[in-house]
């Protein structure tokens, strides 16, 4: 194994992107993700890449659109309010079937909110994020190592499916430092015959566009895109299961909340409570199978979220309301404590065994 | 450890400056009555000296930092009492500077008076395991950028090489040559090599000027 280094989550994303062959970064500063831009500003010139601080988030996402049109790996990053500004561009990227990587290091909202961590952009990320019928691949890292690993994977899958990969992190993961290994075998980029790279007068020109003059053609394009989404839902969902085998209570959480939840699961196990954890790693596609597996076994699911409860809706859909799902949460930049989650587990345990 | 009236802690972003500042303030308090930390970090709104407010208060150490530190007011503000460091000559100070050259800009404002009084040390905190300062060449590059930004020269090096909770004794031992190389190329001395409590006894006879960090940052 390669030597480890000590990095902030934001820095790990930036370095992993460079390793993955991303030589184009466009962004606009916002706490708590500014280290991504700061790191890129230092590193990109040294690797022959481009770092450009755009005049706004809107400009940055459209620069991403431009580079993505050439089939070149490209990324931008922001935090919650800045991602909202990029919304139009995210929809255009989807409409033009362009691969790109977008990072959202979430902060408390709505509005300008605050700079403390949050997970309240779950709906925005997983249900499209802007106008029109579309999805993004959404990855939810839970460690600095995963910030890096999922960035590399995000680029690969974005290319494969010609769509945006979003890394949905939060202020804690962006700011915290952990040892990380950046030892990747980088695959050669796949062929992109659709890219607008110049015809050399040897082929018909490629068109990158999201405007359709005939509704029949637009409908057909949407149908075809959703066929692709269906294939992704069947093959790309990722999740972690922890002590679920005999669990009568399932705690579920993603990202930083899952680390708190895992601590609480261990504390509850020490008290003899049969509890396990399901941690979605991809939020879209949502790992429905993980939840369907516990139908008939688990008597209660507790969704632990740093929001007013967003993922909980997907959990309920996944279990088709056959298992009661309750919420354990903090919001507005506050973080759940292991004790709070433990209390929810103990209460649930009393209720299901009453 | 010998302290001048002012001890300036500067270095690369994420090198451990704040943690060392708080530890050194506690160390300084053992021999000096009037001790203060001046936090002039204009780079990072998180992980500030303010996290240690209670500990510092309990130990009678004055904390001078922006009233907006650790709040949602995300602006690079300096504390109102910043000039106390050069006006209040009875007090000993640790100055916690923000990371990299950008952070050191704030120190530049104080530099003329600090240099005029000439009773200070300025320590460069390095961590071999931070990728942008992982060899002596890159570490010295960052060091020179900081010196240029604040118009001051470092007087010593603090080797704070660590991998967080995963740090082993061989990681620390392996960082000694790295720190010595930086010292050799810059003509400075490694004044401290830091280590946490769990590794101190194992390493105390093997590394010169080994310093046990009594306060550990926990996440």
């Amino acid at each position: 194994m390669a030597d480890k280094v000590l990095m902030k989550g934001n820095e790990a994303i930036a370095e992993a992107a460079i390793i993955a062959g991303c030589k184009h970064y466009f962004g606009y500063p916002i706490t708590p993700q500014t280290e991504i831009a700061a790191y890129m500003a230092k590193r990109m010139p040294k690797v022959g890449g481009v770092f450009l601080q755009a005049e706004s988030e809107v400009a940055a996402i459209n620069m991403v659109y431009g580079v993505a049109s050439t089939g070149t790996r490209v990324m931008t990053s922001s935090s919650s309010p800045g991602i909202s500004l990029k919304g139009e561009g995210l929809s255009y990227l989807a409409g033009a079937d362009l691969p790109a990587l977008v990072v959202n290091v979430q902060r408390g909202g709505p509005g300008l909110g605050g700079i403390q961590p949050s997970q309240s952009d779950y709906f925005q990320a997983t249900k499209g994020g802007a106008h029109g019928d579309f999805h993004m691949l959404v990855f939810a890292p839970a460690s600095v190592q995963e910030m890096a690993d999922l960035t590399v994977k995000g680029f690969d899958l974005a290319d494969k499916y010609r769509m945006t990969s979003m890394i949905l992190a939060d202020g804690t993961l962006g700011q915290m430092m952990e040892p990380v290994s950046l030892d990747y075998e980088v695959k050669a980029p796949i062929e992109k015959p659709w890219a607008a790279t110049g015809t050399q007068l040897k082929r018909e020109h490629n068109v990158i566009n999201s405007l359709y003059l005939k509704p029949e053609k637009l409908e057909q394009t949407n149908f075809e895109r959703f066929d692709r989404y269906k294939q992704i839902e069947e093959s790309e969902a990722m999740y972690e299961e922890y002590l679920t085998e005999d669990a009568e209570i399932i705690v579920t959480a993603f990202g930083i909340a899952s680390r708190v939840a895992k601590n609480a699961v261990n504390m509850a196990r020490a008290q003899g409570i049969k509890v396990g954890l399901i941690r979605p790693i991809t939020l879209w596609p949502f790992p429905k199978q993980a939840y369907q597996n516990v139908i008939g076994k688990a008597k209660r699911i507790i969704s632990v979220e740093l929001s007013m409860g967003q993922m909980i809706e997907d959990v309920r859909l996944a279990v088709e309301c056959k298992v009661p799902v309750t919420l354990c949460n903090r919001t507005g930049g506050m973080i759940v404590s292991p004790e709070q989650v433990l209390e929810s587990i103990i209460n649930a345990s009393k209720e299901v065994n009453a | 450890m010998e302290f001048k009236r002012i001890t300036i802690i500067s270095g690369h972003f994420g090198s451990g400056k704040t943690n060392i500042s708080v530890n050194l303030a506690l160390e300084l308090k053992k021999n000096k009555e009037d001790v203060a930390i001046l936090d002039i970090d204009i780079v990072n709104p998180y992980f500030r000296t303010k996290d240690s407010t209670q500990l510092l208060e309990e130990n009678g150490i004055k904390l001078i930092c922006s009233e907006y530190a650790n709040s949602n007011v995300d602006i690079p503000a300096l504390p109102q009492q910043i000039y106390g460091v050069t006006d209040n000559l009875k007090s000993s100070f640790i100055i916690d500077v923000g990371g990299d050259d950008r952070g050191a800009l704030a120190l530049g404002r104080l530099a003329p008076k600090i240099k005029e009084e000439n009773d200070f040390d300025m320590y460069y905190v390095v961590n071999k395991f931070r990728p942008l300062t992982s060899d002596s060449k890159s570490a010295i590059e960052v060091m020179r950028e900081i010196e240029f930004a604040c118009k001051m020269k470092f007087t010593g090096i603090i080797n704070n090489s660590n991998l967080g909770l995963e740090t082993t004794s061989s990681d620390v031992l392996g960082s000694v040559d790295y720190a010595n190389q930086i010292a050799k190329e810059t003509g400075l001395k490694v004044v401290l090599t830091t280590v946490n409590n769990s590794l101190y006894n194992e390493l105390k006879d093997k590394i010169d000027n080994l310093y046990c960090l009594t306060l550990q940052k926990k996440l």
Side-chain angles (χ1 to χ4, degrees):
Chain A
M1 200 177 80
D3 289 342
K4 284 191 174 181
V5 288
L6 187 66
M7 296 185 96
K8 284 200 170 213
N10 285 334
E11 297 170 337
I13 283 177
E15 187 60 40
I18 291 170
I19 292 169
C22 174
K23 296 284 174 63
H24 296 80
Y25 174 92
F26 307 103
Y28 188 83
I30 180 171
T31 306
Q33 64 80 51
T34 300
E35 291 83 4
I36 301 179
Y39 193 92
M40 287 300 197
K42 287 218 166 185
R43 285 280 286 142
M44 278 300 193
K46 292 183 179 170
V47 296
V50 174
F51 163 85
L52 199 154
Q53 180 172 323
E55 67 269 36
S56 70
E57 287 85 349
V58 179
I61 193 72
N62 284 292
M63 290 171 186
V64 168
Y65 184 102
V67 172
S69 300
T70 69
T72 307
R73 284 191 167 178
V74 58
M75 72 177 286
T76 185
S77 61
S78 193
S79 178
S80 308
I83 295 293
S84 294
L85 284 166
K86 290 180 197 289
E88 181 195 51
L90 294 175
S91 180
Y92 278 48
L93 284 164
D97 294 310
L98 291 173
L101 187 100
V102 176
V103 181
N104 180 2
V105 183
Q106 298 167 90
R107 54 189 260 176
L112 200 50
I115 63 170
Q116 299 301 328
S118 161
Q119 297 182 324
S120 53
D121 303 346
Y122 178 93
F123 283 153
Q124 186 191 45
T126 59
K127 310 300 174 192
H131 65 279
D133 283 321
F134 79 98
H135 281 293
M136 298 182 285
L137 293 154
V138 182
F139 300 90
S143 64
V144 174
Q145 184 67 55
E146 279 192 354
M147 293 282 257
D149 296 350
L150 294 174
T151 294
V152 175
K153 189 173 181 82
F155 274 111
D156 285 344
L157 293 190
D159 279 352
K160 183 176 177 185
Y161 295 110
R162 292 182 61 179
M163 59 194 288
T164 295
S165 282
M166 174 173 277
I167 306 294
L168 191 69
D170 68 81
T172 311
L173 286 165
Q175 293 297 324
M176 65 195 278
M177 291 176 90
E178 284 182 330
V180 54
S181 165
L182 297 169
D183 183 21
Y184 300 107
E185 275 185 37
V186 178
K187 297 172 202 154
I190 58 169
E191 291 291 317
K192 292 170 182 165
W194 50 265
T197 50
T199 65
Q200 313 295 323
L201 301 176
K202 286 174 185 161
R203 60 164 170 82
E204 285 295 304
H205 64 273
N206 288 332
V207 177
I208 308 291
N209 180 36
S210 68
L211 172 66
Y212 289 83
L213 300 182
K214 294 195 172 110
E216 295 82 358
K217 177 72 175 131
L218 178 54
E219 182 189 47
Q220 190 54 38
T221 307
N222 283 339
F223 283 156
E224 286 166 12
R225 193 172 294 126
F226 270 70
D227 286 344
R228 194 151 30 103
Y229 289 163
K230 190 161 184 292
Q231 184 198 333
I232 294 167
E233 289 192 278
E234 284 160 8
S235 59
E236 302 294 353
M238 294 167 67
Y239 61 92
E240 178 197 350
E241 288 172 302
Y242 180 67
L243 306 177
T244 53
E245 197 60 26
D246 64 341
E248 56 183 22
I249 294 163
I250 296 289
V251 175
T252 187
F254 68 93
I256 195 66
S258 72
R259 291 173 66 143
V260 180
K262 195 180 245 182
N263 279 338
V265 165
N266 289 335
M267 289 155 80
R269 280 274 170 184
Q271 296 184 20
I273 300 173
K274 288 181 177 169
V275 55
L277 173 75
I278 295 174
R279 172 173 78 94
I281 298 171
T282 54
L283 300 179
W284 195 91
F286 192 68
K288 293 174 195 160
Q289 191 60 48
Y291 300 93
Q292 283 159 5
N293 291 344
V294 303
I295 295 174
K297 293 196 282 182
K299 293 172 185 160
R300 181 70 62 87
I301 299 176
I302 303 167
S303 188
V304 180
E305 304 185 49
L306 306 187
S307 71
M308 289 307 292
Q310 300 192 6
M311 183 178 78
I312 192 170
E313 295 194 3
D314 283 333
V315 177
R316 284 184 176 133
L317 284 171
V319 295
E320 295 162 350
C321 296
K322 289 171 184 163
V323 186
V325 188
T326 59
L327 179 68
C328 173
N329 71 319
R330 295 295 298 271
T331 185
M334 300 304 293
I335 302 179
V336 285
S337 66
E339 292 73 22
Q340 184 190 350
V341 181
L342 177 65
E343 194 185 331
S344 293
I345 295 170
I346 291 170
N347 290 340
S349 174
K350 283 178 189 160
E351 283 167 30
V352 300
N353 291 306
Chain B
M1 183 175 174
E2 297 286 314
F3 286 96
K4 301 274 180 58
R5 194 181 73 78
I6 296 173
T7 306
I8 302 166
I9 304 298
S10 178
H12 175 45
F13 186 66
S15 57
K17 299 174 296 297
T18 297
N19 194 32
I20 287 170
S21 295
V22 174
N23 273 281
L24 290 188
L26 293 169
E27 185 73 26
L28 181 55
K29 182 69 185 172
K30 290 176 187 169
N31 297 312
K32 298 279 181 185
E33 183 54 35
D34 196 350
V35 173
I37 295 186
L38 172 62
D39 175 346
I40 55 167
D41 190 342
I42 52 166
V43 174
N44 198 347
Y46 308 100
F47 308 122
R48 301 287 294 263
T49 47
K50 204 167 186 175
D51 294 331
S52 306
T53 303
Q54 196 189 341
L55 178 81
L56 294 170
E57 270 176 15
E58 283 168 5
N59 285 277
I61 295 165
K62 189 176 179 190
L63 173 60
I64 303 169
C65 73
S66 161
E67 60 185 297
Y68 303 118
N70 282 7
S71 80
N72 273 341
V73 185
D74 182 19
I75 52 171
L78 290 168
Q80 292 163 343
Q81 295 167 289
I82 185 169
Y83 293 114
V85 70
T86 46
D87 291 347
N88 179 6
L89 299 176
K90 286 180 195 156
S91 191
S92 297
F93 280 85
I94 306 284
I95 306 183
D96 182 20
V97 185
D100 291 339
D101 49 348
R102 288 160 297 175
L105 279 174
L107 178 62
R109 185 166 182 171
L110 301 169
K113 279 201 158 185
I114 292 175
K115 286 193 282 191
E116 188 188 323
E117 183 198 357
N118 197 24
D119 189 7
F120 72 95
D121 271 311
M122 175 159 149
Y123 295 135
Y124 183 51
V125 180
V126 289
N127 181 351
K128 181 186 177 210
F129 298 100
R130 291 286 288 150
L132 297 188
T133 57
S134 60
D135 54 41
S136 60
K137 184 170 173 283
S138 58
I140 291 169
E141 210 173 285
V142 171
M143 184 181 189
R144 298 303 182 212
E145 287 168 4
I146 291 170
E147 290 182 332
F148 182 76
C150 67
K151 307 283 184 281
M152 294 187 71
K153 296 277 183 201
F154 285 103
T155 63
I157 290 159
I158 294 178
N159 177 18
N160 187 47
S161 295
N162 75 88
L163 270 172
L165 298 174
E166 290 185 21
T167 314
T168 64
S169 54
S170 63
D171 288 334
V172 182
L173 283 168
S175 73
V176 170
D177 282 349
Y178 156 83
N180 285 341
Q181 186 63 29
I182 297 169
K184 191 180 156 196
E185 290 178 36
T186 57
L188 300 175
K189 275 187 182 158
V190 180
V191 294
L192 296 176
T193 293
T194 63
V195 73
N196 67 19
N197 321 32
S198 61
L199 297 175
Y200 181 74
N201 283 335
E202 189 183 343
L203 292 172
K204 67 180 175 191
D205 300 325
K206 295 179 182 163
I207 298 174
D208 292 339
N209 299 324
L210 191 68
Y211 182 77
C212 183
L213 293 166
T214 50
L215 174 72
Q216 301 296 315
K217 199 157 39 177
K218 287 199 184 76
L219 275 171

